[in-house]
Amino acid sequence: MNKIFTTGLIGLALLCGLTSLHAQQEAPKTNQVYRATPTKINDLVHTKLDVSFDYAKRYLYGKAWLTLTPHFYPTDTLTLDAKGMDIKSVALVGAKANTPLKYTYDNEQLFVQLNKKYTRNEKYTIYIAYTAKPDELKVKGSAAITDAKGLYFINPDGAIKDKPIEIWTQGETEASSAWFPTIDKPNQKTTAEIAMTVQSKYTTLSNGKLVSQKANANGTRTDVWKMDQPHSPYLFMMAVGPFQVYKDTWKGKEVSYYLEPKYAPYAKQIFGKTPEMMTFYSNILGIDYPWVKYAQVVARDYVSGAMENTSATLHGEHVQKTPRELIDANEQGTIAHELFHQWFGDYVTAESWSNLTMNESFATFGEVVWHGHDEGKDAEDESRYGKLTSYLSSTKNGESPVLARFYYNDKEDMFDNVSYAKGSIILYALKNLLGDDAFYKGLNLYLRTNAYKNGEPHQLRLALEEVSGRDLLPYFNQWYYAGGHPILDVRYDYKNGNAVIDVKQTQSPDVQTFTLPLKVDLYVGGQKISKEITINSREQSFSFPVSAKPDLIDLDADKILVGQIKDNKTFDNYIFQYSYAPSYANRLKAIEQAVINNKEQAAQQLLLKALDDKNATLRAAALKGFNLKDDQIKAMAGEKIVALAKNDKNSNVRSTAIARLAMSGDKAYIPVFQNGLKEQSYKVIGTALQAMNMVEPTALGPIVAGLDQDTKDHVPSQLAQIYASLGDDSFHQFYLNIANTGNINALAGVVMAYSNYLVKNKNPKITQQGAQAIVNGMNRTKLAQYYGKQFVQVFTTAEQTKIKEAENASGDAKDNLLMQAAYFKAAAAELNK
């Protein structure tokens, strides 16, 4: 799964010689409960479903035939997960007739008394007739998966114009049991057959292969999808809607893309690299893509980022883009992430949510190495560094949860920066430690040994040990079964002909002391001297004889440390490393230091050089160091920044350049902004609008009026800011439309500007309507879960602002201001419930 909100990601360090050989996570000091891998009493063997849909009631009418066998011990009972269903009948399937069985049901689980005690050599089949009522379930989601009702009816009555009528499912973590009875645990595996009866005008998708389609007399059609390879219940999926299908191929297997008709012409531009990804992953893993087909479908109002259902990934609508939208961003990382799951997560599945790292860390790792294959080493390093930075930003004092986490409050808590980002970079560092050949051969062995079964980190460790011949238990103990990361306080010196490195591990005392084998590069007299050190105590010193004072000491030269380094490099060191130790991370840190020291001439020279960096992210970072209000800096860099604003091949760089020019306040740059308004890139147009708003706001009226509706639809946050500065009543419908119908991302992009608009506006009716619309919109999209408390304060501040304005007003104006204050107060109270 790829989450809605990009989580943090990670960093990492190598390890080789720990002596504390603990093989299990110790109990935390909190009251969290140990989460045992679910005990297997019965094993699913085959699942057959026959379903139809009631759009008006939002019900699924289902029949299920579940074939099972006792896992080891004889049993005469069966417990199934079945959430919020009406159970019509339960029977044992016989050769001639079904035999009704006794059962009890508590709205969560179905407890069945079998007709006899079965042994592990016997199979039996249970028939269940049921109605699933997902919209009547009382369930909660998480930050990663915002809802958990399993089955979703989108616009079922067609009431929302231009929104497709769809049905789709979301099984992870344990929500498949909201639409069919099953043993809803990741350590179950079952083959499957799903028959879906739908209106003939709709297209269906499910796992495996479409084996038959039958037209019915009542205007419906029954599609049967068959999955001959076993997979876990949470990976079952259905999608129904007016999708248009683009068919591709890979080694004779169908590769297909299901999109809304509007986006179907761009299917190849959106998903077209999928077959190349399949080849790349198949080659590095030594196992060809294992399923009969690979489909990707895009759904409206999806509750997460994307989901790796076996052979049929479901994406949120953000992945659908027109060619204009693709100028600014694509979703290649998400597409790669979900595809890598087809091996790590689907082919071999984490045996429990405690071991989610075996799914999500690998899929995130897959993103990183794909970027390297597709765009080169610099792109790979950028992806990896971004994940490290994101992970670190979500931590404090080196503290973070354990990766293989057997103690947690809720399984949804596992979907965090540790399972995704930190785990991915731990894998990357392990690749660095073992070498690519041994690492990928180890992954191949792990996959082959556990194919169609379940895995945990120890099985990965054993496979890598068998291939490499190395004892990796210390590594896994440090990174998988203990938490946190190192924070290294490093001091460099040159004494008596020696380069000296003093290191302190300054992470919280509650965090382990790490063993960190790292590479150090010393740059002395035009030569690079490479050394290897092992940091394994809280304070250490390393000394190397050198012929002269080093121009640079580059600790962790491979940039694989899962952690932080705080050192005493001089700015001259940073200037040197930008040119002579030019890893992505080294160049970025040098640019960041130059931005901090941007008043120095040497810093300006480095930033000027960085404007030609091969990496677009670094060019954009360098732009932020130029203060064009300084005439000397403008003379030096102004023309170059104008050129980037007009001609850089990357729209983010062009946009950033326009923003820097605008901050100068110089109207001489208005032609550059006007040029930006003529671009195809929405990002550049949006920034150009903001630039005009800063430099020549009086010219915005005709400019905004001249924008086509498509452009306006793609720059709502910029328009929201412009309208907020004006406060005119006529702009209110713009905000209302987004608050009433926009998704969580659309609302998040305008809601702060909307509140500013309401503060600027003088009409109490608009205040009342707008404040309530913000509250309703935030609750509807669940944005209130993340920013509700912040907006309580926003509304409270707005209330106080209106009261203060009222002190200097009289008559109707004063009454209106006090009325507005009361509406803001009421909105704050409602949001604070």
Side-chain angles (χ1 to χ4, degrees), residues 57-81:
K57 294 182 178 179
R58 303 188 183 199
Y59 285 178
L60 175 149
Y61 301 118
K63 301 174 184 177
W65 293 263
L66 306 180
T67 301
L68 305 102
T69 185
H71 181 73
F72 187 83
Y73 301 105
T75 184
D76 60 1
T77 62
L78 170 65
T79 301
L80 296 172
D81 300 298

mmCIF file of all heavy atoms in Angstrom, residues 57-81:
data_model
loop_
_atom_site.group_PDB
_atom_site.id
_atom_site.type_symbol
_atom_site.label_atom_id
_atom_site.label_comp_id
_atom_site.label_asym_id
_atom_site.label_seq_id
_atom_site.Cartn_x
_atom_site.Cartn_y
_atom_site.Cartn_z
ATOM 1 N N LYS A 57 -29.584 0.651 -1.643
ATOM 2 C CA LYS A 57 -29.334 0.357 -0.228
ATOM 3 C C LYS A 57 -27.848 0.300 0.107
ATOM 4 O O LYS A 57 -27.475 0.284 1.271
ATOM 5 C CB LYS A 57 -29.986 -0.981 0.142
ATOM 6 C CG LYS A 57 -31.494 -0.982 0.083
ATOM 7 C CD LYS A 57 -32.041 -2.342 0.510
ATOM 8 C CE LYS A 57 -33.560 -2.358 0.515
ATOM 9 N NZ LYS A 57 -34.083 -3.695 0.906
ATOM 10 N N ARG A 58 -27.024 0.231 -0.923
ATOM 11 C CA ARG A 58 -25.579 0.039 -0.749
ATOM 12 C C ARG A 58 -25.303 -1.287 -0.028
ATOM 13 O O ARG A 58 -24.516 -1.362 0.906
ATOM 14 C CB ARG A 58 -24.947 1.227 -0.002
ATOM 15 C CG ARG A 58 -25.205 2.556 -0.696
ATOM 16 C CD ARG A 58 -24.433 3.686 -0.089
ATOM 17 N NE ARG A 58 -24.764 4.947 -0.754
ATOM 18 C CZ ARG A 58 -24.024 6.049 -0.706
ATOM 19 N NH1 ARG A 58 -22.905 6.049 -0.014
ATOM 20 N NH2 ARG A 58 -24.385 7.143 -1.329
ATOM 21 N N TYR A 59 -25.939 -2.306 -0.527
ATOM 22 C CA TYR A 59 -25.784 -3.661 -0.012
ATOM 23 C C TYR A 59 -25.090 -4.536 -1.051
ATOM 24 O O TYR A 59 -25.166 -4.278 -2.264
ATOM 25 C CB TYR A 59 -27.146 -4.306 0.282
ATOM 26 C CG TYR A 59 -27.864 -3.817 1.521
ATOM 27 C CD1 TYR A 59 -29.118 -4.326 1.842
ATOM 28 C CD2 TYR A 59 -27.310 -2.860 2.372
ATOM 29 C CE1 TYR A 59 -29.818 -3.897 2.971
ATOM 30 C CE2 TYR A 59 -27.989 -2.419 3.500
ATOM 31 C CZ TYR A 59 -29.241 -2.939 3.788
ATOM 32 O OH TYR A 59 -29.923 -2.512 4.894
ATOM 33 N N LEU A 60 -24.473 -5.582 -0.571
ATOM 34 C CA LEU A 60 -23.981 -6.663 -1.423
ATOM 35 C C LEU A 60 -24.718 -7.924 -1.010
ATOM 36 O O LEU A 60 -24.745 -8.277 0.183
ATOM 37 C CB LEU A 60 -22.474 -6.849 -1.252
ATOM 38 C CG LEU A 60 -21.803 -8.025 -1.988
ATOM 39 C CD1 LEU A 60 -20.358 -7.672 -2.350
ATOM 40 C CD2 LEU A 60 -21.793 -9.311 -1.137
ATOM 41 N N TYR A 61 -25.322 -8.597 -1.979
ATOM 42 C CA TYR A 61 -25.969 -9.883 -1.728
ATOM 43 C C TYR A 61 -24.991 -10.969 -2.153
ATOM 44 O O TYR A 61 -24.573 -11.011 -3.324
ATOM 45 C CB TYR A 61 -27.275 -9.997 -2.499
ATOM 46 C CG TYR A 61 -28.263 -8.896 -2.150
ATOM 47 C CD1 TYR A 61 -28.706 -7.992 -3.112
ATOM 48 C CD2 TYR A 61 -28.736 -8.751 -0.843
ATOM 49 C CE1 TYR A 61 -29.615 -6.982 -2.789
ATOM 50 C CE2 TYR A 61 -29.633 -7.742 -0.512
ATOM 51 C CZ TYR A 61 -30.058 -6.858 -1.488
ATOM 52 O OH TYR A 61 -30.938 -5.846 -1.152
ATOM 53 N N GLY A 62 -24.624 -11.817 -1.198
ATOM 54 C CA GLY A 62 -23.555 -12.754 -1.493
ATOM 55 C C GLY A 62 -23.855 -14.193 -1.141
ATOM 56 O O GLY A 62 -24.652 -14.495 -0.234
ATOM 57 N N LYS A 63 -23.207 -15.056 -1.887
ATOM 58 C CA LYS A 63 -23.149 -16.475 -1.575
ATOM 59 C C LYS A 63 -21.675 -16.863 -1.535
ATOM 60 O O LYS A 63 -20.921 -16.473 -2.428
ATOM 61 C CB LYS A 63 -23.878 -17.294 -2.635
ATOM 62 C CG LYS A 63 -25.353 -16.946 -2.800
ATOM 63 C CD LYS A 63 -25.950 -17.700 -3.982
ATOM 64 C CE LYS A 63 -27.396 -17.294 -4.223
ATOM 65 N NZ LYS A 63 -27.957 -17.978 -5.434
ATOM 66 N N ALA A 64 -21.290 -17.582 -0.524
ATOM 67 C CA ALA A 64 -19.885 -17.962 -0.376
ATOM 68 C C ALA A 64 -19.770 -19.461 -0.165
ATOM 69 O O ALA A 64 -20.546 -20.049 0.606
ATOM 70 C CB ALA A 64 -19.260 -17.214 0.803
ATOM 71 N N TRP A 65 -18.815 -20.051 -0.849
ATOM 72 C CA TRP A 65 -18.460 -21.443 -0.643
ATOM 73 C C TRP A 65 -16.990 -21.458 -0.202
ATOM 74 O O TRP A 65 -16.091 -21.124 -0.995
ATOM 75 C CB TRP A 65 -18.619 -22.255 -1.917
ATOM 76 C CG TRP A 65 -20.031 -22.399 -2.390
ATOM 77 C CD1 TRP A 65 -20.873 -23.444 -2.180
ATOM 78 C CD2 TRP A 65 -20.766 -21.470 -3.197
ATOM 79 N NE1 TRP A 65 -22.082 -23.244 -2.789
ATOM 80 C CE2 TRP A 65 -22.054 -22.032 -3.423
ATOM 81 C CE3 TRP A 65 -20.476 -20.214 -3.746
ATOM 82 C CZ2 TRP A 65 -23.032 -21.379 -4.180
ATOM 83 C CZ3 TRP A 65 -21.450 -19.569 -4.488
ATOM 84 C CH2 TRP A 65 -22.718 -20.143 -4.704
ATOM 85 N N LEU A 66 -16.756 -21.807 1.031
ATOM 86 C CA LEU A 66 -15.405 -21.787 1.581
ATOM 87 C C LEU A 66 -14.943 -23.224 1.816
ATOM 88 O O LEU A 66 -15.565 -23.973 2.586
ATOM 89 C CB LEU A 66 -15.364 -21.016 2.903
ATOM 90 C CG LEU A 66 -15.930 -19.590 2.905
ATOM 91 C CD1 LEU A 66 -15.806 -18.983 4.291
ATOM 92 C CD2 LEU A 66 -15.216 -18.724 1.878
ATOM 93 N N THR A 67 -13.860 -23.582 1.160
ATOM 94 C CA THR A 67 -13.258 -24.898 1.377
ATOM 95 C C THR A 67 -12.093 -24.746 2.331
ATOM 96 O O THR A 67 -11.218 -23.892 2.123
ATOM 97 C CB THR A 67 -12.787 -25.507 0.050
ATOM 98 O OG1 THR A 67 -13.910 -25.629 -0.827
ATOM 99 C CG2 THR A 67 -12.168 -26.883 0.269
ATOM 100 N N LEU A 68 -12.082 -25.570 3.384
ATOM 101 C CA LEU A 68 -11.069 -25.446 4.434
ATOM 102 C C LEU A 68 -10.555 -26.829 4.832
ATOM 103 O O LEU A 68 -11.130 -27.862 4.455
ATOM 104 C CB LEU A 68 -11.645 -24.748 5.673
ATOM 105 C CG LEU A 68 -12.291 -23.383 5.468
ATOM 106 C CD1 LEU A 68 -13.804 -23.508 5.473
ATOM 107 C CD2 LEU A 68 -11.832 -22.383 6.530
ATOM 108 N N THR A 69 -9.517 -26.814 5.626
ATOM 109 C CA THR A 69 -8.997 -28.035 6.229
ATOM 110 C C THR A 69 -8.362 -27.669 7.562
ATOM 111 O O THR A 69 -7.815 -26.556 7.689
ATOM 112 C CB THR A 69 -7.959 -28.710 5.305
ATOM 113 O OG1 THR A 69 -7.557 -29.958 5.860
ATOM 114 C CG2 THR A 69 -6.732 -27.838 5.120
ATOM 115 N N PRO A 70 -8.454 -28.527 8.574
ATOM 116 C CA PRO A 70 -7.753 -28.221 9.821
ATOM 117 C C PRO A 70 -6.258 -28.059 9.581
ATOM 118 O O PRO A 70 -5.664 -28.802 8.783
ATOM 119 C CB PRO A 70 -8.050 -29.446 10.695
ATOM 120 C CG PRO A 70 -9.338 -29.979 10.159
ATOM 121 C CD PRO A 70 -9.264 -29.749 8.665
ATOM 122 N N HIS A 71 -5.654 -27.064 10.249
ATOM 123 C CA HIS A 71 -4.239 -26.802 10.020
ATOM 124 C C HIS A 71 -3.373 -27.966 10.514
ATOM 125 O O HIS A 71 -2.495 -28.444 9.777
ATOM 126 C CB HIS A 71 -3.811 -25.519 10.730
ATOM 127 C CG HIS A 71 -2.372 -25.183 10.517
ATOM 128 N ND1 HIS A 71 -1.897 -24.703 9.313
ATOM 129 C CD2 HIS A 71 -1.285 -25.295 11.337
ATOM 130 C CE1 HIS A 71 -0.594 -24.516 9.397
ATOM 131 N NE2 HIS A 71 -0.190 -24.875 10.619
ATOM 132 N N PHE A 72 -3.591 -28.441 11.729
ATOM 133 C CA PHE A 72 -2.849 -29.596 12.237
ATOM 134 C C PHE A 72 -3.723 -30.455 13.150
ATOM 135 O O PHE A 72 -3.901 -31.643 12.899
ATOM 136 C CB PHE A 72 -1.602 -29.142 13.003
ATOM 137 C CG PHE A 72 -0.711 -30.282 13.405
ATOM 138 C CD1 PHE A 72 0.208 -30.803 12.509
ATOM 139 C CD2 PHE A 72 -0.814 -30.863 14.666
ATOM 140 C CE1 PHE A 72 1.012 -31.881 12.860
ATOM 141 C CE2 PHE A 72 -0.020 -31.937 15.034
ATOM 142 C CZ PHE A 72 0.907 -32.448 14.126
ATOM 143 N N TYR A 73 -4.313 -29.829 14.160
ATOM 144 C CA TYR A 73 -5.075 -30.591 15.136
ATOM 145 C C TYR A 73 -6.510 -30.801 14.644
ATOM 146 O O TYR A 73 -7.080 -29.929 13.982
ATOM 147 C CB TYR A 73 -5.101 -29.864 16.478
ATOM 148 C CG TYR A 73 -3.723 -29.624 17.048
ATOM 149 C CD1 TYR A 73 -3.143 -28.358 17.010
ATOM 150 C CD2 TYR A 73 -2.996 -30.669 17.620
ATOM 151 C CE1 TYR A 73 -1.870 -28.131 17.533
ATOM 152 C CE2 TYR A 73 -1.717 -30.448 18.146
ATOM 153 C CZ TYR A 73 -1.161 -29.182 18.095
ATOM 154 O OH TYR A 73 0.097 -28.971 18.603
ATOM 155 N N PRO A 74 -7.099 -31.920 14.959
ATOM 156 C CA PRO A 74 -8.497 -32.145 14.591
ATOM 157 C C PRO A 74 -9.398 -31.080 15.223
ATOM 158 O O PRO A 74 -9.136 -30.593 16.321
ATOM 159 C CB PRO A 74 -8.808 -33.531 15.171
ATOM 160 C CG PRO A 74 -7.479 -34.193 15.328
ATOM 161 C CD PRO A 74 -6.511 -33.089 15.648
ATOM 162 N N THR A 75 -10.453 -30.710 14.509
ATOM 163 C CA THR A 75 -11.381 -29.694 15.027
ATOM 164 C C THR A 75 -12.783 -29.942 14.499
ATOM 165 O O THR A 75 -12.965 -30.453 13.377
ATOM 166 C CB THR A 75 -10.925 -28.278 14.659
ATOM 167 O OG1 THR A 75 -11.795 -27.336 15.269
ATOM 168 C CG2 THR A 75 -10.914 -28.070 13.153
ATOM 169 N N ASP A 76 -13.773 -29.578 15.312
ATOM 170 C CA ASP A 76 -15.162 -29.650 14.879
ATOM 171 C C ASP A 76 -15.830 -28.282 14.917
ATOM 172 O O ASP A 76 -17.051 -28.171 14.920
ATOM 173 C CB ASP A 76 -15.948 -30.652 15.720
ATOM 174 C CG ASP A 76 -15.948 -30.291 17.200
ATOM 175 O OD1 ASP A 76 -15.357 -29.251 17.557
ATOM 176 O OD2 ASP A 76 -16.530 -31.050 17.994
ATOM 177 N N THR A 77 -15.001 -27.214 14.967
ATOM 178 C CA THR A 77 -15.535 -25.857 14.954
ATOM 179 C C THR A 77 -14.799 -25.011 13.923
ATOM 180 O O THR A 77 -13.654 -25.304 13.542
ATOM 181 C CB THR A 77 -15.400 -25.177 16.326
ATOM 182 O OG1 THR A 77 -14.014 -25.082 16.673
ATOM 183 C CG2 THR A 77 -16.150 -25.963 17.391
ATOM 184 N N LEU A 78 -15.460 -23.957 13.508
ATOM 185 C CA LEU A 78 -14.882 -23.009 12.548
ATOM 186 C C LEU A 78 -15.286 -21.602 12.958
ATOM 187 O O LEU A 78 -16.466 -21.337 13.192
ATOM 188 C CB LEU A 78 -15.388 -23.295 11.130
ATOM 189 C CG LEU A 78 -15.071 -22.246 10.056
ATOM 190 C CD1 LEU A 78 -13.566 -22.144 9.808
ATOM 191 C CD2 LEU A 78 -15.807 -22.563 8.753
ATOM 192 N N THR A 79 -14.305 -20.718 13.048
ATOM 193 C CA THR A 79 -14.576 -19.306 13.334
ATOM 194 C C THR A 79 -14.201 -18.474 12.119
ATOM 195 O O THR A 79 -13.058 -18.542 11.639
ATOM 196 C CB THR A 79 -13.788 -18.829 14.555
ATOM 197 O OG1 THR A 79 -14.158 -19.620 15.693
ATOM 198 C CG2 THR A 79 -14.067 -17.366 14.838
ATOM 199 N N LEU A 80 -15.153 -17.713 11.628
ATOM 200 C CA LEU A 80 -14.940 -16.859 10.465
ATOM 201 C C LEU A 80 -15.138 -15.395 10.859
ATOM 202 O O LEU A 80 -15.975 -15.071 11.713
ATOM 203 C CB LEU A 80 -15.921 -17.208 9.344
ATOM 204 C CG LEU A 80 -15.800 -18.607 8.729
ATOM 205 C CD1 LEU A 80 -16.965 -18.857 7.788
ATOM 206 C CD2 LEU A 80 -14.471 -18.773 7.993
ATOM 207 N N ASP A 81 -14.392 -14.515 10.211
ATOM 208 C CA ASP A 81 -14.605 -13.077 10.352
ATOM 209 C C ASP A 81 -15.698 -12.662 9.363
ATOM 210 O O ASP A 81 -15.626 -12.999 8.172
ATOM 211 C CB ASP A 81 -13.311 -12.321 10.060
ATOM 212 C CG ASP A 81 -12.198 -12.713 11.019
ATOM 213 O OD1 ASP A 81 -12.369 -12.490 12.226
ATOM 214 O OD2 ASP A 81 -11.182 -13.261 10.561
#
